[in-house]
Amino acid sequence: RSRRPRGRTRGDGAGARAAAAGGPRERGGGAELPAGAGPEAAGAAGGAEIKESASQTRDVLKQHFNDLKGTLGKLLDERLVTLLQEVDTIEQETIKPLDDCQKLIEHGVNTAEDLVQEGEIAILGGVGEQKEKLWSFTKKALHIQLDSLPEVPLLVDVPCLSAQLDDSILNIVKDHIFKHGTVASRPPVQIEELIEKPGGIIVRWCKVDDDFTAQDYRLQFRKCTSNHFEDVYVGSETEFIVLHIDPNVDYQFRVCARGDGRQEWSPWSVPQIGHSTLVPHEWTAGFEGYSLSSRRNIALRNDSESSGVLYSSAPTYFCGQTLTFREGLIDDILRVETVGQPDRRDSIGVCAERQNGYDSLQRDQAVCISTNGAVFVNGKEMTNQLPAVTSGSTVTFDIEAVTLGSTNNNEGGNFKLRVTISSNNREVVFDWLLDQSCGSLYFGCSFFYPGWKVLVF
């Protein structure tokens, strides 16, 4: 049987998976357009959207091109320093042999001049003194090689430095600059629907440009009091549940898309405001057999020998909603993350009231599914079964009020609820009879062996 109950989404679970926030810088924005606004309000909001988005787009363009100029200037300076260092290196390596040669030549010339001067003095002296000076002159002349010079490089072998600069780079850069950046006025996607959930909001979006082929979508959100949007989802699905939403707090959501084969993102959609009035689901703290996370939304069956049913801290599940035990993150969810050894007394389900002293929800005033797939209604096992609960299984409870007052049957109870339990593309539908009207219900679980871990939201 196929149903689509009120306030519920279907699918394989890939369309709504939670993720941590945080991402790249923003590329524009806009004013929010409240849902259901009249023509005048819509016109005013539209005008505000144009002005605000235009202003933000100007700021983004100015900042981007200022950053680009700074980066290009830095790159050019770095290249200039590299080339100047290369000039210095070539100059130092090639000038040294010539300097050494020049020093040798100057030293030889100076030595020759001194020797000639010494010979002239010897000639002009007396006979005795002349003989001694000529002997000294001759001795020095024999030991000094005045006709030996270092090898001097040919002029054609001497380096001559020059700068080789290709002016065509200006045309290349100019061409890229003139094509860099575009201004788009119509985003190809818009937010279609916001659905409140306990502690979360499901965001759905759709394409509004039939000629645009989307490869990925990017969803951001922020509190209305914040100036910074955060990435919360990037992927190919068109819906996502944003978790850890504070009750009765307004949030803004916006989405953009990336075209097939493209790197850049499209303009942002018009931001939409949403909030959840539903209190987040929490497990009851202090139960000996289970360890809870700091948010009390994750329960782990520990090694304690204590047994019993772990209930929600309050009756936060309301008829007409959908409660889901599943791997994917759509609707009100209890997600079985890890599993331990199964036991036929295990149970996951809902009940009219918390009753201590029971080891399982397989009792009166409760409906549940065991980890082996057996379905129990008021403690009685049904003939139809569902697939066994394993890590990644999905079990969905959808409950709606059918009648109020007395029922014309002999089954007892005067309040009837229509219950649909679904798991792995199979479902069972039955009527659940209660002793009294019950607008809200508790959810709970019980496991007899450690290792079971359940996330609720």
Side-chain angles (χ1 to χ4, degrees):
R1 179 177 176 179
S2 176
R3 304 175 70 238
R4 186 180 179 86
R6 179 178 56 187
R8 177 174 174 182
T9 58
R10 290 275 187 178
D12 59 3
R17 283 181 285 271
R25 90 179 158 184
E26 302 159 22
R27 293 283 179 174
E32 66 276 6
L33 180 59
E40 294 182 1
E49 163 67 17
I50 294 173
K51 292 181 179 179
E52 183 175 353
S53 62
S55 176
Q56 292 187 5
T57 301
R58 291 189 191 96
D59 293 340
V60 169
L61 289 172
K62 292 177 182 178
Q63 183 63 46
H64 175 74
F65 276 86
N66 283 334
D67 293 344
L68 191 61
K69 284 192 290 185
T71 301
L72 289 175
K74 183 178 179 180
L75 292 174
L76 290 173
D77 290 341
E78 291 176 353
R79 181 57 180 165
L80 175 60
V81 169
T82 300
L83 292 175
L84 292 177
Q85 290 176 345
E86 188 175 344
V87 171
D88 294 341
T89 300
I90 295 175
E91 180 185 26
Q92 293 173 4
E93 291 178 349
T94 56
I95 200 75
K96 188 176 183 303
L98 295 178
D99 288 341
D100 293 343
C101 180
Q102 182 177 354
K103 290 178 181 178
L104 288 174
I105 293 174
E106 290 176 351
H107 177 72
V109 171
N110 291 333
T111 302
E113 290 178 348
D114 293 340
L115 188 61
V116 170
Q117 185 177 5
E118 184 176 345
E120 292 177 347
I121 294 174
I123 295 174
L124 297 176
V127 177
E129 181 182 1
Q130 186 181 54
K131 184 177 180 181
E132 181 180 352
K133 289 184 177 180
L134 286 174
W135 181 84
S136 175
F137 170 81
T138 304
K139 183 178 179 181
K140 289 182 180 179
L142 291 174
H143 288 87
I144 296 177
Q145 297 180 353
L146 297 179
D147 60 344
S148 177
L149 292 176
E151 183 180 359
V152 180
L154 297 176
L155 187 61
V156 293
D157 295 330
V158 176
C160 180
L161 279 67
S162 64
Q164 304 297 311
L165 301 175
D166 186 2
D167 292 338
S168 64
I169 189 175
L170 296 177
N171 294 327
I172 297 174
V173 172
K174 184 189 299 183
D175 184 60
H176 282 281
I177 289 177
F178 285 165
K179 294 179 180 180
H180 180 67
T182 58
V183 176
S185 60
R186 296 185 182 277
V189 291
Q190 292 287 357
I191 291 177
E192 183 180 27
E193 189 176 16
L194 300 175
I195 304 174
E196 64 173 352
K197 292 295 175 181
I201 296 177
I202 290 180
V203 184
R204 291 176 181 161
W205 56 89
C206 63
K207 286 198 313 175
V208 293
D209 184 354
D210 294 336
D211 296 330
F212 183 84
T213 302
Q215 174 179 306
D216 291 305
Y217 298 99
R218 177 181 174 192
L219 176 65
Q220 291 188 337
F221 85 118
R222 71 178 179 185
K223 287 185 178 180
C224 287
T225 56
S226 173
N227 294 323
H228 176 63
F229 277 95
E230 296 179 348
D231 279 340
V232 71
Y233 173 75
V234 175
S236 59
E237 302 297 331
T238 56
E239 67 179 36
F240 183 79
I241 182 168
V242 182
L243 299 178
H244 309 316
I245 294 294
D246 296 329
N248 301 308
V249 174
D250 286 338
Y251 290 82
Q252 281 187 333
F253 302 88
R254 66 182 187 181
V255 67
C256 64
R258 180 163 51 196
D260 190 20
R262 305 294 295 271
Q263 295 296 323
E264 71 277 6
W265 292 98
S266 73
W268 291 106
S269 66
V270 177
Q272 298 287 345
I273 291 181
H275 68 273
S276 176
T277 59
L278 304 177
V279 178
H281 293 316
E282 292 182 355
W283 295 108
T284 300
F287 195 80
E288 185 177 354
Y290 294 84
S291 303
L292 304 184
S293 65
S294 59
R295 289 181 174 268
R296 298 181 181 177
N297 59 342
I298 299 177
L300 172 65
R301 181 65 168 95
N302 55 36
D303 295 331
S304 173
E305 295 181 359
S306 176
S307 62
V309 179
L310 176 65
Y311 293 102
S312 56
S313 60
T316 52
Y317 172 63
F318 295 89
C319 294
Q321 295 180 349
T322 302
L323 182 68
T324 308
F325 299 69
R326 66 181 302 166
E327 177 74 20
L329 307 183
I330 306 178
D331 306 315
D332 303 339
I333 301 169
L334 282 170
R335 170 180 169 186
V336 181
E337 292 193 323
T338 59
V339 298
Q341 180 180 342
D343 188 283
R344 70 174 309 275
R345 296 168 294 176
D346 295 338
S347 61
I348 305 173
V350 296
C351 57
E353 58 185 13
R354 293 188 291 190
Q355 295 182 9
N356 297 323
Y358 287 90
D359 290 337
S360 174
L361 285 174
Q362 300 172 16
R363 60 167 175 82
D364 190 33
Q365 303 295 291
V367 294
C368 66
I369 178 175
S370 177
T371 52
N372 64 5
V375 178
F376 292 84
V377 183
N378 287 336
K380 298 180 180 179
E381 183 175 355
M382 295 185 62
T383 303
N384 295 332
Q385 281 197 341
L386 292 171
V389 178
T390 60
S391 179
S393 291
T394 299
V395 182
T396 303
F397 288 74
D398 182 71
I399 302 178
E400 297 178 347
V402 177
T403 60
L404 293 172
S406 300
T407 56
N408 297 323
N409 55 57
N410 297 321
E411 300 178 17
N414 55 14
F415 186 67
K416 181 187 295 186
L417 298 178
R418 180 67 47 80
V419 180
T420 302
I421 305 178
S422 305
S423 177
N424 294 342
N425 296 322
R426 293 179 58 187
E427 65 179 28
V428 293
V429 182
F430 55 88
D431 290 337
W432 179 23
L433 300 178
L434 297 175
D435 293 336
Q436 58 184 1
S437 174
C438 189
S440 60
L441 300 168
Y442 291 89
F443 57 86
C445 66
S446 64
F447 303 102
F448 281 80
Y449 295 99
W452 292 90
K453 186 177 181 182
V454 180
L455 169 66
V456 57
F457 52 90

